[in-house]
C-alpha cells in the first residue's frame, strides 16, 4: 500500500500511525538537511508529542540547498511527507509512521523560497543536520574559514546565497527589518559545542556583508548546544524491502536502532516544544554528555571502520564480530578513550563503552562501513585527535589511537588488502590519497597535512608510534598490526 494521508487508516494494525489530525498542524520549525537521521530522531520526538495532542503548532518544514535535496523533496511530497520508521531490535522489528513533517521548501538557486520560509513569523526554530564538515571550520584553529569559496560567494551575494548559512543570514535580515524578531538556530550534528559552532558560522558570515546585522544576530538569536544520538543507516533496497514486509510502499523509509538520546540546553529565544515530555533531556552540562558520545561512539566508529574497509568487512556489526576488529575497539575505547571522558548522571564512561559495544554489535542494524568511514578528514580531527592531545598531556597511552590514524592513512591509499579499489569517500579524497601513497615509504608525509594534524605532527611520541604502525601495516598487513596491539605491543 503506497504511503499517503489517504492510506494511513488502511495500514496493517501492527503499524503505529499518527493519531492526530495532520491537516490541523501548523509550521514552527524549518529543518535544513533532511536526511535519515533527522527523520528518525528530531522528527520522531516531535511526532511523539503530537501523539499526545501537544506541539501541534510546531510542524516541520524540510529544506535543503543542494540539487539532490530537490530529489528528496519530490520523493517525500509524493507520500505527503510521511516517513515509515522501522526499529531494528534483535528481539523483533516494529514500524511506526511519523507525520510531524508537513512540507518541504522547493530547492532553487539563490535559495529564495528557503529564505522566505525562514522569514515567516511562524518559524521559531531553524534546525540543521549538514554533517560535521559542513560548518566551514578551519580544522586547525577551529575558527571560521572566511576564505572558503562558498563563503566568499555568499559574502558577495547576500541576497542570493548558495549555503544554508547564507540563507539563514538573509532570512534574519528580513526578520530584523520587518520587526518579526529572531529565531533559534539549532544544530543537530555531531559536533562538540555544535550550537556555539553554528553561532560562529552564522555571525561570522553575516559580519562579512553586514556588521550591524551580525551584532543583532549575536545579541538576539540563541544557538543551544545539543548532543544527538541514534544509529540510523542509509536507505537502500533492504530497507525498502523491510517497509514492504510491513505492507507499506515507502520510497524513503528509515531504519534505526532501538536507542535514542537527545540532550540540549534550554536556550530558545522564540519558544520550543516540550521535547522532554517525549524523552529528551534539557541540561546545563551538555558538554559532558556530548564529549562521552562523540569520543566513544563517534570516535569508536572511526576506530573500527577503516580497518573494516581495508579488510573488506561490509558492515559495522561485522566489524564487531571480527576476531580482531571487535577486540581492538574494546581495548582502545576502554584503555585510551574512556580515561579522558567524565561521567554523566546515570552513566560512567566504562558503562558507556559496554553500551556502545552492544549497539555496534546489533546484527539487525545494517550500517555500512563505507557510510561510517565517510569524511574522515572531519571525523578524525573532530572525534579522535582531541583525545590524543588529552592523552599526551597526562602521559596516557596512545598506541591504539596512533594505530587508528595509521589505518586511516592506509585506507586512504585507495585499495583493500584483497586488491579491490576503495571508491572516493571524503571531500578531499584526492589530496588524502596523494598523502597516503607518499606515506607508504615516508610516514611523516601523512602527518605533514598540518591543516588536519597541527602540532601533533611534531610530537615525537605520537609521530613515532604512527610511523611504526603504518610500516607494520604495509609490511605485514592490518591483521598483524591489530594482533600486535592486542598482545600489548606499542608498535
Amino acid at each position: 500500500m503506497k504511503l499517503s494521508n489517504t492510506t494511513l487508516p488502511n495500514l496493517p494494525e501492527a503499524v503505529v500511525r499518527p493519531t492526530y489530525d495532520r491537516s490541523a498542524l501548523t509550521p514552527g520549525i524549518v529543518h535544513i538537511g533532511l536526511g535519515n537521521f533527522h527523520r528518525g530522531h528530531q522528527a520522531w520526538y516531535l511526532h511523539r508529542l503530537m501523539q499526545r495532542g501537544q506541539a501541534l503548532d510546531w510542524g516541520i518544514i524540510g529544506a535543503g540547498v543542494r540539487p539532490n535535496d530537490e530529489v528528496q523533496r519530490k520523493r517525500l511530497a509524493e507520500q505527503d511527507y510521511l516517513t515509515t520508521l522501522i526499529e531494528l531490535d534483535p528481539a523483533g522489528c516494529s514500524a511506526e509512521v511519523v507525520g510531524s513533517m508537513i512540507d518541504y521548501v522547493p530547492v532553487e538557486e539563490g535559495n529564495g523560497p528557503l529564505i522566505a520560509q525562514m522569514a515567516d513569523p511562524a518559524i521559531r526554530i531553524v534546525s540543521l543536520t549538514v554533517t560535521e564538515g559542513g560548518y566551514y571550520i578551519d580544522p586547525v584553529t577551529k575558527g571560521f574559514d572566511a576564505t572558503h569559496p562558498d563563503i566568499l560567494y555568499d559574502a558577495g551575494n547576500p541576497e542570493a546565497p548558495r549555503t544554508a548559512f547564507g540563507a539563514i543570514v538573509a532570512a534574519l535580515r528580513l526578520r530584523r527589518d520587518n520587526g518579526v524578531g529572531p529565531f533559534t538556530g539549532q544544530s543537530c550534528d555531531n559536533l562538540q559545542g555544535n550550537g556555539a559552532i553554528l553561532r560562529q558560522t552564522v555571525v561570522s558570515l553575516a559580519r562579512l556583508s553586514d556588521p550591524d546585522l551580525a551584532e543583532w544576530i549575536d545579541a538576539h538569536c540563541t544557538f543551544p548546544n545539543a548532543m544527538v544520538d541514534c544509529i540510523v543507516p542509509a536507505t537502500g533496497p533492504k530497507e525498502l524491502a523491510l517497509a514492504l514486509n510491513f505492507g507499506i510502499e515507502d520510497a524513503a523509509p528509515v531504519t534505526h536502532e532501538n536507542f535514542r538520546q537527545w540532550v540540549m540546553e534550554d536556550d530558545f529565544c522564540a519558544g520550543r516544544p516540550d521535547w522532554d515530555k517525549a524523552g529528551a533531556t534539557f541540561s546545563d552540562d551538555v558538554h559532558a554528555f556530548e564529549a562521552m558520545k562523540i569520543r566513544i561512539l563517534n570516535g569508536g566508529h572511526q576506530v573500527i571502520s577503516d580497518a573494516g574497509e581495508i579488510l573488506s568487512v561490509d558492515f559495522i556489526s561485522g566489524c564487531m564480530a571480527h576476531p580482531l576488529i571487535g577486540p581492538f575497539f574494546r581495548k582502545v575505547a576502554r584503555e585510551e578513550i574512556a580515561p579522558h571522558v567524565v561521567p554523566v548522571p546515570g552513566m560512567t564512561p566504562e558503562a558507556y563503552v559496554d553500551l556502545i559495544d552492544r549497539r555496534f554489535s546489533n546484527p539487525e542494524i545494517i550500517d555500512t562501513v563505507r557510510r561510517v568511514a565517510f569524511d574522515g578528514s572531519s571525523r578524525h580531527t573532530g572525534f579522535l585527535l582531541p583525545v590524543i592531545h588529552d592523552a599526551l598531556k597526562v602521559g596516557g597511552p596512545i598506541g591504539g589511537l596512533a594505530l587508528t590514524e595509521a589505518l586511516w592513512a592506509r585506507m586512504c591509499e585507495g585499495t583493500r588488502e584483497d586488491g579491490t579499489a576503495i571508491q572516493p569517500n571524503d571531500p578531499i579524497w584526492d589530496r588524502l590519497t596523494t598523502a597516503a601513497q607518499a606515506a607508504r615509504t615516508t610516514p611523516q608525509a601523512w602527518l605533514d597535512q598540518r591543516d588536519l594534524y597541527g602540532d601533533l605532527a611534531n610530537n615525537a611520541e605520537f609521530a613515532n608510534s604512527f610511523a611504526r604502525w603504518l610500516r607494520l601495516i604495509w609490511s605485514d598487513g592490518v591483521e598483524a598490526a591489530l594482533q600486535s596491539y592486542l598482545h600489548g605491543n606499542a608498535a
Side-chain angles (χ1 to χ4, degrees), residues 47-359:
H47 163 75
R48 279 302 171 100
L49 283 179
M50 291 173 173
Q51 292 285 65
R52 298 164 53 131
Q54 301 171 3
L56 302 180
D57 60 339
W58 285 100
I60 296 169
I61 296 179
V65 297
R66 303 170 304 172
N68 197 50
D69 292 322
E70 180 66 11
V71 176
Q72 178 80 321
R73 185 190 73 81
K74 291 178 179 178
R75 184 184 294 127
L76 292 173
E78 291 178 357
Q79 55 192 52
D80 297 322
Y81 311 107
L82 293 163
T83 292
T84 306
L85 296 186
I86 302 171
E87 184 176 280
L88 302 175
D89 189 329
C93 295
S94 59
E96 178 173 14
V97 174
V98 169
S100 52
M101 180 182 172
I102 59 176
D103 202 354
Y104 200 125
V105 179
V107 181
E108 297 181 5
E109 187 174 349
N111 291 302
L114 173 56
I115 293 168
Q117 185 65 70
M118 291 189 291
D120 185 332
I123 300 304
R124 287 150 284 163
I125 295 173
V126 172
S127 54
L128 304 91
T129 42
V130 295
T131 79
E132 298 83 6
Y135 287 79
Y136 300 96
I137 306 167
D138 183 294
V140 173
T141 68
K142 304 305 179 185
F144 176 63
D145 183 3
T147 65
H148 193 284
D150 290 346
I151 297 302
L152 293 174
Y153 180 90
D154 281 9
N157 300 272
E159 306 301 326
R162 64 170 52 143
T163 74
F165 309 105
I168 289 172
V169 171
L172 287 169
R173 181 183 295 108
L174 289 175
R175 294 176 74 104
R176 180 200 61 179
D177 294 348
N178 295 332
V180 170
F183 53 61
T184 293
Q186 184 177 32
S187 172
C188 297
D189 280 303
N190 288 314
L191 289 164
Q192 196 155 347
N194 56 11
I197 290 170
L198 176 56
R199 176 188 291 275
Q200 170 182 275
T201 303
V202 171
V203 173
S204 297
L205 176 55
R207 189 169 287 121
L208 295 177
S209 61
D210 189 339
D212 290 340
L213 176 63
E215 294 303 317
W216 183 86
I217 293 171
D218 203 24
H220 294 91
C221 293
T222 52
F223 300 86
N225 291 308
M227 183 274 277
V228 295
D229 191 7
C230 184
I231 295 174
V232 181
T235 295
K238 185 178 187 299
E239 288 71 29
L240 296 170
L242 278 173
L244 288 174
N245 288 342
F246 282 99
I248 304 172
E249 182 184 337
D250 186 334
V254 173
T255 58
H256 61 93
E257 64 173 327
N258 57 334
F259 179 91
R260 281 185 187 85
Q261 191 176 21
W262 194 9
V263 183
M264 69 194 101
E265 294 171 340
D266 194 358
D267 188 16
F268 293 80
C269 62
R272 60 162 175 79
D274 292 329
W275 281 305
D276 52 323
K277 294 180 180 178
T281 301
F282 289 106
S283 173
D284 293 330
D285 191 16
V286 170
H287 177 80
F289 286 91
E290 65 187 0
M292 178 177 285
K293 186 259 180 174
I294 284 174
R295 293 190 170 197
I296 296 175
L297 186 151
N298 298 107
H301 262 157
Q302 302 312 299
V303 168
I304 63 178
S305 61
D306 295 327
E309 185 72 283
I310 302 164
L311 295 176
S312 303
V313 181
D314 291 330
F315 305 113
I316 293 301
S317 58
C319 288
M320 296 304 289
H322 189 279
L324 297 175
I325 302 176
F328 177 54
F329 162 78
R330 286 183 276 274
K331 182 175 173 67
V332 174
R334 288 174 180 149
E335 297 180 9
E336 300 189 23
I337 300 178
H340 309 290
V341 174
V342 300
V344 298
M347 185 70 69
T348 65
E350 295 75 20
Y352 193 74
V353 170
D354 292 339
L355 171 64
I356 299 308
D357 189 345
R358 294 192 298 272
R359 292 169 62 192

